[in-house]
Amino acid sequence: AESETLALEDLTDYKAKSAESEILKRSQLHRIVMFNEAHDIAQHRVLTYRMLSGLWKQGYRYFAAESLNSSASSQL
């Protein structure tokens, strides 16, 4: 169908970007940043953790999480 052809054409100039730098760039335009993570995929938690310093430098001061274990405060 035509919509499938257009979608494929849109990908011809696709260039991968660093998730961290792209998130930090876009977070300058917003007041809230949300990360959706799968609890069984460690890389998701690692990305969130790696983003904290850059977000702090931009003025973000609150971190909310769906669930943390009992030693989380010492880990953060």
Coordinates of all heavy atoms in Angstrom, one line a residue:
A1 N 0.8 -1.2 0.0 CA 0.0 0.0 0.0 C 0.9 1.2 0.0 O 2.1 1.2 0.3 CB -0.9 0.0 1.2
E2 N 0.3 2.3 -0.3 CA 1.0 3.6 -0.4 C 1.6 4.0 0.9 O 2.8 4.5 1.0 CB 0.1 4.7 -0.9 CG 0.8 6.0 -1.1 CD -0.1 7.1 -1.6 OE1 -1.1 6.8 -2.2 OE2 0.2 8.3 -1.4
S3 N 0.9 3.8 2.0 CA 1.5 4.2 3.3 C 2.7 3.4 3.7 O 3.6 3.9 4.3 CB 0.4 4.0 4.4 OG 0.0 2.7 4.5
E4 N 2.8 2.1 3.3 CA 4.0 1.3 3.5 C 5.1 1.8 2.7 O 6.3 1.8 3.2 CB 3.7 -0.2 3.2 CG 2.7 -0.8 4.1 CD 2.3 -2.2 3.7 OE1 3.0 -2.8 2.8 OE2 1.4 -2.8 4.3
T5 N 4.9 2.2 1.5 CA 6.0 2.7 0.6 C 6.5 4.0 1.2 O 7.7 4.2 1.3 CB 5.4 3.0 -0.8 OG1 4.9 1.7 -1.3 CG2 6.6 3.5 -1.7
L6 N 5.7 4.9 1.7 CA 6.1 6.1 2.3 C 6.9 5.9 3.5 O 8.0 6.5 3.7 CB 4.9 7.0 2.6 CG 4.1 7.6 1.4 CD1 2.9 8.4 1.8 CD2 5.0 8.5 0.5
A7 N 6.6 4.9 4.3 CA 7.3 4.6 5.6 C 8.7 4.1 5.2 O 9.7 4.5 5.9 CB 6.5 3.6 6.4
L8 N 8.8 3.3 4.2 CA 10.1 2.8 3.8 C 11.0 3.9 3.2 O 12.2 4.0 3.5 CB 10.0 1.7 2.8 CG 9.4 0.4 3.3 CD1 9.2 -0.6 2.2 CD2 10.3 -0.2 4.4
E9 N 10.4 4.8 2.5 CA 11.2 5.9 1.9 C 11.7 6.9 3.0 O 12.7 7.4 2.9 CB 10.3 6.7 0.9 CG 10.0 6.0 -0.4 CD 9.0 6.7 -1.3 OE1 8.6 7.8 -0.9 OE2 8.7 6.1 -2.4
D10 N 10.9 7.0 4.1 CA 11.3 7.9 5.2 C 12.6 7.3 5.8 O 13.3 8.1 6.5 CB 10.2 8.0 6.2 CG 9.0 8.8 5.7 OD1 9.1 9.5 4.7 OD2 7.9 8.7 6.3
L11 N 12.8 6.1 5.7 CA 14.0 5.5 6.4 C 15.3 5.5 5.6 O 16.3 5.2 6.1 CB 13.7 4.0 6.8 CG 12.6 3.8 7.8 CD1 12.3 2.3 8.0 CD2 13.0 4.4 9.1
T12 N 15.2 6.0 4.3 CA 16.4 6.0 3.5 C 17.4 6.9 4.0 O 18.6 6.7 3.8 CB 16.0 6.4 2.1 OG1 15.4 7.6 2.0 CG2 15.1 5.3 1.4
D13 N 17.1 8.0 4.7 CA 18.0 9.0 5.3 C 18.2 8.8 6.8 O 18.8 9.6 7.4 CB 17.6 10.4 5.0 CG 17.6 10.7 3.5 OD1 18.5 10.2 2.8 OD2 16.8 11.5 3.0
Y14 N 17.8 7.6 7.3 CA 17.9 7.4 8.7 C 19.3 7.3 9.2 O 20.2 6.7 8.5 CB 17.2 6.1 9.0 CG 17.3 5.7 10.5 CD1 16.5 6.2 11.4 CD2 18.3 4.8 10.9 CE1 16.6 5.9 12.8 CE2 18.4 4.4 12.2 CZ 17.6 5.0 13.2 OH 17.7 4.7 14.5
K15 N 19.6 8.0 10.3 CA 20.9 7.9 10.9 C 20.7 7.7 12.4 O 20.0 8.4 13.0 CB 21.7 9.3 10.7 CG 22.0 9.5 9.2 CD 23.0 10.6 9.0 CE 23.4 10.9 7.6 NZ 22.6 10.4 6.5
A16 N 21.4 6.7 12.9 CA 21.3 6.4 14.3 C 21.9 7.5 15.1 O 22.9 8.2 14.7 CB 22.0 5.1 14.6
K17 N 21.3 7.8 16.3 CA 21.8 8.9 17.2 C 22.1 8.3 18.6 O 21.5 7.3 18.9 CB 20.8 10.0 17.3 CG 20.6 10.7 16.0 CD 19.5 11.8 16.2 CE 19.2 12.6 14.9 NZ 18.3 13.6 15.1
S18 N 22.9 8.9 19.3 CA 23.1 8.5 20.7 C 21.8 8.8 21.5 O 21.3 10.0 21.5 CB 24.3 9.3 21.3 OG 24.2 9.3 22.7
A19 N 21.3 7.8 22.2 CA 20.1 8.0 22.9 C 20.3 9.1 24.0 O 19.5 9.9 24.3 CB 19.6 6.7 23.5
E20 N 21.4 9.0 24.7 CA 21.7 9.9 25.8 C 21.7 11.4 25.3 O 21.0 12.2 25.9 CB 23.0 9.6 26.5 CG 22.9 8.2 27.2 CD 24.3 7.9 27.8 OE1 24.9 8.7 28.5 OE2 24.7 6.7 27.6
S21 N 22.5 11.7 24.3 CA 22.5 13.0 23.8 C 21.2 13.5 23.3 O 20.8 14.7 23.4 CB 23.7 13.2 22.8 OG 23.5 12.4 21.7
E22 N 20.5 12.7 22.6 CA 19.2 13.1 22.0 C 18.2 13.3 23.1 O 17.4 14.3 23.1 CB 18.7 12.0 21.1 CG 17.5 12.4 20.3 CD 17.8 13.5 19.3 OE1 18.9 13.8 18.9 OE2 16.8 14.2 18.8
I23 N 18.2 12.5 24.2 CA 17.3 12.7 25.3 C 17.6 14.0 26.0 O 16.7 14.9 26.3 CB 17.3 11.6 26.3 CG1 16.6 10.3 25.6 CG2 16.6 11.9 27.6 CD1 16.9 9.0 26.4
L24 N 18.9 14.3 26.2 CA 19.3 15.5 26.9 C 18.9 16.8 26.0 O 18.5 17.8 26.5 CB 20.8 15.5 27.2 CG 21.2 14.6 28.4 CD1 22.7 14.5 28.5 CD2 20.5 15.0 29.7
K25 N 19.1 16.6 24.7 CA 18.8 17.7 23.8 C 17.3 18.0 23.9 O 16.8 19.2 24.1 CB 19.1 17.4 22.4 CG 18.8 18.4 21.3 CD 19.2 17.8 20.0 CE 18.5 18.6 18.9 NZ 18.7 18.0 17.6
R26 N 16.4 17.0 23.8 CA 15.0 17.2 23.9 C 14.5 17.6 25.2 O 13.5 18.3 25.4 CB 14.3 15.9 23.4 CG 14.6 15.7 21.9 CD 13.9 14.4 21.4 NE 14.2 14.1 20.0 CZ 13.4 13.7 19.2 NH1 12.1 13.5 19.5 NH2 13.7 13.5 17.9
S27 N 15.2 17.1 26.3 CA 14.7 17.4 27.6 C 14.8 18.9 28.0 O 14.2 19.4 28.9 CB 15.5 16.6 28.7 OG 16.8 17.0 28.7
Q28 N 15.6 19.7 27.2 CA 15.7 21.1 27.4 C 14.4 21.8 27.1 O 14.2 22.9 27.5 CB 16.9 21.7 26.6 CG 18.2 21.2 27.0 CD 19.3 21.6 26.0 OE1 19.1 22.4 25.1 NE2 20.5 21.2 26.3
L29 N 13.6 21.2 26.3 CA 12.3 21.8 25.9 C 11.1 21.4 26.7 O 10.0 21.9 26.5 CB 12.0 21.4 24.4 CG 13.1 21.6 23.4 CD1 12.8 21.0 22.1 CD2 13.3 23.1 23.2
H30 N 11.4 20.6 27.8 CA 10.3 20.0 28.6 C 10.6 20.2 30.0 O 11.7 20.4 30.4 CB 10.0 18.6 28.2 CG 9.7 18.4 26.7 ND1 8.5 18.7 26.2 CD2 10.5 18.0 25.7 CE1 8.5 18.4 24.9 NE2 9.7 18.0 24.6
R31 N 9.6 20.0 30.9 CA 9.7 20.0 32.3 C 9.7 18.6 32.9 O 10.1 18.4 34.1 CB 8.6 20.8 32.9 CG 8.7 22.3 32.5 CD 7.6 23.1 33.1 NE 7.8 23.2 34.5 CZ 6.9 23.7 35.3 NH1 5.8 24.2 34.8 NH2 7.0 23.6 36.6
I32 N 9.3 17.6 32.2 CA 9.2 16.3 32.7 C 9.8 15.3 31.7 O 9.6 15.4 30.5 CB 7.7 15.8 32.9 CG1 7.1 16.7 34.0 CG2 7.6 14.4 33.3 CD1 5.6 16.5 34.2
V33 N 10.6 14.4 32.2 CA 11.1 13.3 31.3 C 10.7 12.0 32.0 O 10.9 11.8 33.2 CB 12.7 13.4 31.2 CG1 13.2 12.2 30.4 CG2 13.1 14.7 30.7
M34 N 10.2 11.1 31.2 CA 9.8 9.8 31.7 C 10.5 8.7 30.9 O 10.6 8.8 29.7 CB 8.3 9.6 31.5 CG 7.4 10.5 32.3 SD 5.7 10.1 32.1 CE 5.0 11.2 33.3
F35 N 10.9 7.7 31.7 CA 11.6 6.5 31.1 C 10.7 5.3 31.3 O 10.3 5.1 32.5 CB 13.0 6.3 31.7 CG 14.0 7.4 31.4 CD1 14.1 8.5 32.3 CD2 14.7 7.3 30.3 CE1 15.0 9.5 32.0 CE2 15.7 8.3 30.0 CZ 15.8 9.4 30.8
N36 N 10.4 4.6 30.3 CA 9.6 3.4 30.5 C 10.6 2.2 30.4 O 11.4 2.1 29.4 CB 8.6 3.3 29.3 CG 7.8 2.0 29.5 OD1 7.6 1.5 30.5 ND2 7.2 1.5 28.3
E37 N 10.7 1.4 31.4 CA 11.7 0.4 31.4 C 11.0 -1.0 31.7 O 10.0 -1.1 32.4 CB 12.8 0.6 32.5 CG 12.3 0.5 33.9 CD 13.5 0.7 34.9 OE1 14.4 1.5 34.6 OE2 13.4 0.0 35.9
A38 N 11.6 -2.0 31.1 CA 11.1 -3.4 31.4 C 12.0 -3.8 32.6 O 13.2 -3.7 32.5 CB 11.4 -4.2 30.2
H39 N 11.4 -4.2 33.6 CA 12.1 -4.5 34.9 C 13.1 -5.7 34.7 O 14.0 -5.8 35.5 CB 11.1 -4.8 36.0 CG 10.2 -3.7 36.3 ND1 10.7 -2.5 36.8 CD2 8.9 -3.5 36.1 CE1 9.7 -1.6 37.0 NE2 8.6 -2.2 36.5
D40 N 12.9 -6.5 33.7 CA 13.8 -7.6 33.5 C 14.9 -7.4 32.5 O 15.7 -8.3 32.2 CB 13.0 -8.9 33.0 CG 12.2 -8.6 31.7 OD1 11.9 -7.4 31.4 OD2 12.0 -9.6 31.0
I41 N 15.0 -6.1 32.1 CA 16.1 -5.8 31.1 C 17.0 -4.7 31.8 O 16.6 -3.6 31.9 CB 15.6 -5.2 29.8 CG1 14.7 -6.3 29.1 CG2 16.7 -4.8 28.9 CD1 14.0 -5.9 27.9
A42 N 18.2 -5.1 32.3 CA 19.1 -4.3 33.0 C 19.5 -3.0 32.3 O 19.7 -2.0 32.9 CB 20.3 -5.1 33.5
Q43 N 19.6 -3.1 31.0 CA 20.1 -2.0 30.2 C 19.1 -0.8 30.3 O 19.5 0.4 30.3 CB 20.2 -2.3 28.7 CG 21.3 -3.3 28.4 CD 20.9 -4.7 28.4 OE1 19.9 -5.1 29.1 NE2 21.6 -5.6 27.8
H44 N 17.8 -1.0 30.6 CA 16.9 0.1 30.7 C 17.2 0.8 32.0 O 17.2 2.1 32.0 CB 15.5 -0.5 30.8 CG 15.0 -1.0 29.5 ND1 13.7 -1.5 29.4 CD2 15.6 -1.2 28.3 CE1 13.5 -1.9 28.1 NE2 14.7 -1.8 27.5
R45 N 17.5 0.1 33.1 CA 17.8 0.8 34.3 C 19.2 1.5 34.2 O 19.3 2.6 34.7 CB 17.9 -0.2 35.5 CG 18.2 0.3 36.8 CD 17.1 0.8 37.7 NE 15.8 0.3 37.5 CZ 15.1 -0.5 38.4 NH1 15.7 -1.0 39.4 NH2 13.9 -0.8 38.1
V46 N 20.1 0.9 33.5 CA 21.4 1.6 33.3 C 21.3 2.9 32.5 O 21.9 3.9 32.9 CB 22.4 0.6 32.5 CG1 23.6 1.3 32.1 CG2 22.7 -0.6 33.4
L47 N 20.4 2.9 31.5 CA 20.2 4.2 30.7 C 19.6 5.2 31.6 O 20.1 6.4 31.7 CB 19.3 3.9 29.5 CG 18.9 5.2 28.8 CD1 20.1 5.9 28.2 CD2 17.8 4.9 27.7
T48 N 18.6 4.9 32.4 CA 18.0 5.9 33.3 C 19.1 6.4 34.3 O 19.2 7.6 34.5 CB 16.9 5.2 34.1 OG1 15.9 4.7 33.2 CG2 16.2 6.2 35.1
Y49 N 19.9 5.5 34.9 CA 20.9 5.9 35.8 C 21.9 6.9 35.1 O 22.4 7.9 35.7 CB 21.6 4.7 36.4 CG 22.8 5.0 37.3 CD1 22.5 5.4 38.6 CD2 24.1 5.0 36.9 CE1 23.6 5.7 39.5 CE2 25.1 5.3 37.7 CZ 24.9 5.7 39.0 OH 25.9 6.0 39.9
R50 N 22.3 6.5 33.9 CA 23.3 7.3 33.2 C 22.8 8.7 32.8 O 23.6 9.6 32.6 CB 23.8 6.6 31.9 CG 24.6 5.4 32.3 CD 25.0 4.6 31.0 NE 25.9 5.4 30.2 CZ 26.4 5.0 29.0 NH1 26.2 3.7 28.7 NH2 27.2 5.7 28.3
M51 N 21.5 8.9 32.7 CA 20.9 10.1 32.4 C 20.8 11.1 33.6 O 20.7 12.3 33.4 CB 19.4 9.9 31.8 CG 19.4 9.1 30.6 SD 20.3 9.8 29.2 CE 19.7 11.4 29.1
L52 N 20.9 10.6 34.8 CA 20.6 11.4 36.0 C 21.5 12.6 36.1 O 21.1 13.7 36.4 CB 20.7 10.6 37.2 CG 19.6 9.5 37.4 CD1 19.8 8.7 38.7 CD2 18.2 10.1 37.3
S53 N 22.8 12.5 35.8 CA 23.8 13.6 36.0 C 23.5 14.7 35.0 O 23.4 15.9 35.3 CB 25.2 13.1 35.8 OG 26.1 14.1 35.8
G54 N 23.2 14.3 33.7 CA 22.9 15.3 32.7 C 21.6 16.1 33.0 O 21.5 17.3 32.8
L55 N 20.6 15.3 33.4 CA 19.4 15.9 33.7 C 19.5 16.9 34.9 O 18.9 17.9 35.0 CB 18.3 14.9 34.0 CG 17.9 14.1 32.7 CD1 17.0 12.9 33.1 CD2 17.1 15.0 31.7
W56 N 20.3 16.5 35.9 CA 20.5 17.3 37.1 C 21.2 18.7 36.6 O 20.7 19.7 37.1 CB 21.5 16.6 38.1 CG 21.8 17.4 39.3 CD1 22.8 18.3 39.5 CD2 21.0 17.5 40.5 NE1 22.7 18.8 40.7 CE2 21.6 18.4 41.4 CE3 19.8 16.8 40.9 CZ2 21.2 18.7 42.6 CZ3 19.4 17.1 42.2 CH2 20.0 18.0 43.0
K57 N 22.1 18.6 35.7 CA 22.8 19.8 35.2 C 21.8 20.7 34.5 O 22.0 21.9 34.5 CB 23.9 19.4 34.3 CG 25.1 18.8 35.0 CD 26.2 18.4 34.1 CE 27.3 17.7 34.8 NZ 28.3 17.1 33.9
Q58 N 20.7 20.2 34.0 CA 19.7 21.0 33.3 C 18.7 21.5 34.3 O 17.8 22.2 33.9 CB 19.0 20.1 32.2 CG 19.9 19.9 31.0 CD 19.2 19.1 29.9 OE1 18.0 18.9 30.0 NE2 19.9 18.8 28.9
G59 N 18.8 21.2 35.5 CA 17.8 21.7 36.5 C 16.8 20.7 37.0 O 15.9 21.1 37.8
Y60 N 16.8 19.5 36.5 CA 15.8 18.5 37.0 C 16.2 18.1 38.4 O 17.4 17.9 38.7 CB 15.8 17.3 36.1 CG 15.1 17.5 34.8 CD1 15.8 18.0 33.7 CD2 13.8 17.3 34.6 CE1 15.2 18.2 32.4 CE2 13.1 17.5 33.4 CZ 13.9 18.0 32.3 OH 13.2 18.2 31.1
R61 N 15.2 18.1 39.3 CA 15.5 17.9 40.7 C 14.7 16.7 41.4 O 15.0 16.4 42.5 CB 15.4 19.1 41.6 CG 16.3 20.2 41.2 CD 17.8 19.8 41.6 NE 18.7 20.9 41.3 CZ 19.5 20.9 40.2 NH1 19.3 20.0 39.2 NH2 20.3 21.9 40.0
Y62 N 13.8 16.2 40.7 CA 12.9 15.1 41.3 C 13.0 13.9 40.4 O 13.0 13.9 39.2 CB 11.4 15.6 41.3 CG 11.3 16.8 42.2 CD1 11.2 18.1 41.6 CD2 11.2 16.7 43.6 CE1 11.1 19.2 42.4 CE2 11.1 17.8 44.4 CZ 11.0 19.1 43.8 OH 10.9 20.2 44.6
F63 N 13.1 12.8 41.2 CA 13.1 11.4 40.5 C 12.0 10.6 41.2 O 12.0 10.4 42.4 CB 14.5 10.8 40.7 CG 14.6 9.4 40.2 CD1 14.8 9.2 38.8 CD2 14.6 8.3 41.0 CE1 14.9 7.9 38.3 CE2 14.7 7.0 40.5 CZ 14.8 6.8 39.1
A64 N 11.2 10.1 40.4 CA 10.1 9.2 40.9 C 10.3 7.8 40.2 O 10.6 7.8 39.0 CB 8.7 9.8 40.6
A65 N 10.1 6.8 40.9 CA 10.2 5.4 40.4 C 9.0 4.6 40.8 O 8.5 4.8 41.9 CB 11.5 4.8 40.8
E66 N 8.7 3.7 39.9 CA 7.5 2.8 40.2 C 7.8 1.9 41.4 O 7.0 1.7 42.2 CB 7.2 2.0 38.9 CG 6.1 1.0 39.1 CD 5.9 0.1 37.9 OE1 6.7 0.3 36.9 OE2 5.1 -0.7 37.9
S67 N 9.0 1.3 41.4 CA 9.4 0.4 42.5 C 10.9 0.4 42.7 O 11.6 0.4 41.7 CB 8.8 -1.0 42.3 OG 9.4 -1.6 41.1
L68 N 11.3 0.3 43.9 CA 12.7 0.2 44.2 C 12.8 -0.8 45.4 O 11.9 -1.0 46.2 CB 13.3 1.5 44.7 CG 13.3 2.7 43.6 CD1 13.7 4.0 44.3 CD2 14.2 2.3 42.5
N69 N 14.0 -1.4 45.5 CA 14.2 -2.4 46.6 C 14.6 -1.6 47.9 O 14.8 -0.4 47.9 CB 15.2 -3.5 46.2 CG 16.6 -2.9 46.0 OD1 17.0 -1.9 46.5 ND2 17.3 -3.6 45.1
S70 N 14.7 -2.3 49.0 CA 14.9 -1.7 50.3 C 16.3 -1.0 50.4 O 16.5 -0.1 51.2 CB 14.8 -2.7 51.4 OG 15.8 -3.8 51.2
S71 N 17.3 -1.3 49.6 CA 18.6 -0.6 49.6 C 18.7 0.5 48.5 O 19.8 1.0 48.3 CB 19.7 -1.6 49.4 OG 19.6 -2.3 48.1
A72 N 17.6 0.9 47.9 CA 17.6 1.8 46.8 C 18.2 3.2 47.2 O 18.9 3.8 46.5 CB 16.2 2.0 46.2
S73 N 17.9 3.7 48.4 CA 18.3 5.0 48.8 C 19.8 5.1 48.8 O 20.4 6.1 48.5 CB 17.7 5.5 50.1 OG 18.1 4.6 51.1
S74 N 20.5 4.0 49.3 CA 21.9 4.0 49.3 C 22.5 3.8 47.9 O 23.6 4.3 47.7 CB 22.4 2.9 50.2 OG 22.1 1.6 49.7
Q75 N 21.8 3.2 47.0 CA 22.3 3.1 45.6 C 22.1 4.3 44.8 O 22.9 4.6 44.0 CB 21.5 1.9 44.9 CG 21.7 0.6 45.5 CD 20.8 -0.5 44.9 OE1 19.9 -0.2 44.1 NE2 21.0 -1.7 45.3
L76 N 21.1 5.2 45.1 CA 20.9 6.4 44.4 C 21.9 7.5 44.9 O 22.3 8.3 44.3 CB 19.5 6.9 44.6 CG 18.4 6.0 43.9 CD1 17.0 6.6 44.2 CD2 18.6 6.0 42.4

